[in-house]
Amino acid sequence: MTGKNSLQSLRGISFAQHIALIIALSASLSTVPGASAQEFSSDLLDKYQEKVEKRELTDQELSRLAELAQTYKDNARVHLVYGLALDLVGLNDQALEQFKLSDKLGPKDSQAVVGIIHHLLSRGDKAAAKAMLDQAMERFPNDANVLYVLGRTLLDDKHGQEAESVLWRAYGLPNRPVGVAVSLAELIMPYKPELAVQYAQEDLKRQPDNRLGLAVLTEAYFNLGEYRKTLAPAARIFALDPFYRNCADLYARSLYWNGQYRQGLMPALYCLARQATYMGGNMPASEVIAQISQKVSSRDLSQALEEFYQNTIGPGKDIVRTPFYYYLAQALSRAGHHEQALVQIDRFLAADPRCVDAILFKGRLQETKLGDYQGALASYRLAHALLPYNPVCDQALVRLEERLSVRESDLAWLLRDGLRRLLNLPPI
């Protein structure tokens, strides 16, 4: 790992691994111009803080901050910037310690207090966060960082009117943090999407990969009917986090309305994976997949599914739940991809072999779409065995048994089956 690597490689590492990295890189720091731990300025910290805000800090720069924090133990600003960097890579407990040191050493700096409040909120400790926020408002009544945290907290607690008032105060102050403008955009987007675009772009200029900013921009363009403009922010947020808010759904629909059907399959599949975590209820993504699948070839569909499963199934992924296969099978059957629908329902039944609804669906698919009458008969018999007094299971089994009993003498049926096989048509 070199100093040029992205901080993405550090997300999720342990504190011990982080310290090992610092030790491994410390030797190389002496060969970097201006890297001496004895020489640093506020300009250097400004540069590091700006890189943290833009998510551009390198591994080597993180290690440099760690070195500075060890050397200048009484410097509140060093601890603050190092804490922000640790928070960026997911080392939240270590970040909290740095924020506490910064607040202790520099009581006039609100960012350390804000870091502690963020930490408490991320852990779900709202009571402690609110108490510290109240203290922060007393200490920093006109500070943009504190006002932003207060406004964001009110917004997350569904107090929109109060949140908007506080956020406008923060917006009018100098050095407002990234997040103020996009939070205002989120508030006004339902009734002023054009203005929401403007405010979201303000924060995205400062932090191009700000997820909330990308999501709000996506939704604002979508609400304006600007589906072509929706594609760029939607594609970016989908690459960063395919499950963030409802962006995958908006991305899939925008691709569909722009005629990019093959590309629309992937976000639609992710959207269904997010929705289909249980059996029952409405799964809107299933209908989106059905509409898109009607526009793609069987080959493109198979390739898209193979790519999706490679990305979502395996150790450490754990994204697809069993109901996903059921609703995907239904969508593909509606789109006319009956063979692929059978593959998906078999995936479902491999995990849940006693689901009668799925067994009946498979039977109907075999009987009416694939012409596999013996397979359908086996499916109906299994469903009947599981629910022997269910009228739906009983009727499906009896009806097919009666049809099959006269099949060899039913010339019309034989002729229809022959034509179906010749012309590759579904059963009549």
Side-chain angles (χ1 to χ4, degrees):
M1 185 181 298
T2 67
K4 295 181 180 179
N5 287 344
S6 165
L7 279 174
Q8 294 295 328
S9 61
L10 285 173
R11 292 186 181 279
I13 69 173
S14 67
F15 186 56
Q17 288 172 316
H18 174 62
I19 294 301
L21 175 64
I22 294 171
I23 294 172
L25 288 174
S26 61
S28 65
L29 288 173
S30 61
T31 65
V32 179
S36 171
Q38 302 300 323
E39 301 174 5
F40 86 96
S41 66
S42 60
D43 290 341
L44 179 63
L45 292 177
D46 289 342
K47 183 186 77 170
Y48 286 166
Q49 186 168 348
E50 182 179 357
K51 286 197 169 188
V52 169
E53 291 176 354
K54 293 182 177 180
R55 300 177 181 271
E56 295 175 352
L57 196 74
T58 65
D59 299 347
Q60 192 175 61
E61 288 165 338
L62 177 64
S63 297
R64 174 77 177 116
L65 280 169
E67 190 180 59
L68 292 174
Q70 287 295 315
T71 303
Y72 297 96
K73 296 182 180 180
D74 295 330
N75 189 299
R77 180 83 193 287
V78 170
H79 290 296
L80 171 62
V81 177
Y82 185 40
L84 293 171
L86 290 171
D87 188 59
L88 176 65
V89 299
L91 296 171
N92 300 325
D93 290 340
Q94 289 71 42
L96 179 61
E97 291 304 315
Q98 296 301 315
F99 290 142
K100 286 180 177 179
L101 282 171
S102 180
D103 184 46
K104 178 181 178 181
L105 296 167
K108 293 183 179 181
D109 194 332
S110 65
Q111 282 190 297
V113 177
V114 168
I116 297 172
I117 295 171
H118 273 303
H119 179 82
L120 294 171
L121 288 172
S122 69
R123 295 213 163 176
D125 195 347
K126 288 190 174 183
K130 185 178 183 305
M132 181 156 280
L133 184 56
D134 290 341
Q135 293 178 17
M137 287 299 298
E138 291 180 7
R139 292 169 61 187
F140 313 102
N142 294 305
D143 186 277
N145 287 291
V146 175
L147 288 170
Y148 167 57
V149 174
L150 175 58
R152 192 69 235 181
T153 302
L154 289 168
L155 181 57
D156 293 340
D157 287 341
K158 311 302 181 185
H159 299 295
Q161 187 173 357
E162 296 88 343
E164 187 170 354
S165 175
V166 172
L167 289 168
W168 278 122
R169 282 178 59 195
Y171 185 81
L173 293 171
N175 302 320
R176 64 175 181 270
V178 172
V180 174
V182 74
S183 294
L184 285 169
E186 184 180 17
L187 275 166
I188 66 178
M189 190 255 298
Y191 55 92
K192 289 183 180 178
E194 300 94 339
L195 197 56
V197 167
Q198 175 185 327
Y199 285 121
Q201 288 175 332
E202 281 189 30
D203 273 353
L204 287 170
K205 286 178 182 177
R206 299 172 62 188
Q207 193 179 82
D209 284 344
N210 183 281
R211 298 187 183 190
L212 180 59
L214 290 167
V216 170
L217 190 60
T218 295
E219 191 169 344
Y221 277 139
F222 188 88
N223 289 349
L224 287 167
E226 298 278 2
Y227 304 122
R228 189 168 297 277
K229 290 183 179 179
T230 302
L231 295 180
R236 185 60 190 147
I237 189 64
F238 183 73
L240 291 169
D241 184 355
F243 293 111
Y244 191 77
R245 294 167 70 113
N246 65 332
C247 292
D249 179 52
L250 302 184
Y251 187 30
R253 292 173 187 269
S254 297
L255 286 165
Y256 177 83
W257 286 326
N258 278 284
Q260 297 175 252
Y261 307 119
R262 170 64 176 82
Q263 296 90 326
L265 275 173
M266 196 60 63
L269 290 168
Y270 272 93
C271 188
L272 181 62
R274 184 173 184 246
Q275 293 176 2
T277 58
Y278 61 94
M279 292 294 290
N282 186 28
M283 303 292 167
S286 179
E287 185 55 38
V288 174
I289 290 175
Q291 293 178 14
I292 294 176
S293 299
Q294 290 175 356
K295 304 289 187 177
V296 302
S297 67
S298 296
R299 179 181 178 182
D300 283 346
L301 175 63
S302 297
Q303 289 176 346
L305 287 170
E306 182 180 357
E307 180 184 348
F308 173 76
Y309 287 135
Q310 285 177 350
N311 294 334
T312 57
I313 295 180
K317 295 174 182 176
D318 194 29
I319 291 172
V320 175
R321 300 288 187 270
T322 300
F324 171 86
Y325 303 115
Y326 179 83
Y327 292 104
L328 178 58
Q330 288 191 325
L332 297 181
S333 180
R334 291 198 300 274
H337 293 284
H338 306 303
E339 292 82 1
Q340 190 58 256
L342 182 64
V343 172
Q344 304 307 319
I345 202 63
D346 279 341
R347 281 176 175 262
F348 175 88
L349 288 169
D352 190 357
R354 298 178 65 83
C355 178
V356 173
D357 286 341
I359 297 168
L360 288 173
F361 172 82
K362 179 179 178 179
R364 296 189 192 102
L365 191 64
Q366 292 168 312
E367 178 188 0
T368 63
K369 304 300 181 182
L370 300 173
D372 179 8
Y373 303 115
Q374 292 304 318
L377 188 62
S379 295
Y380 292 150
R381 283 173 174 166
L382 176 58
H384 185 267
L386 290 170
L387 290 178
Y389 302 108
N390 184 281
V392 176
C393 298
D394 186 61
Q395 290 170 12
L397 176 60
V398 170
R399 179 180 50 78
L400 184 55
E401 284 179 335
E402 289 178 349
R403 291 185 68 200
L404 289 175
S405 68
V406 298
R407 180 187 180 194
E408 296 304 322
S409 61
D410 190 334
L411 294 178
W413 190 357
L414 293 175
L415 179 61
R416 288 196 299 268
D417 265 3
L419 288 172
R420 178 188 62 79
R421 287 190 293 269
L422 180 64
L423 299 175
N424 194 28
L425 297 173
I428 300 173

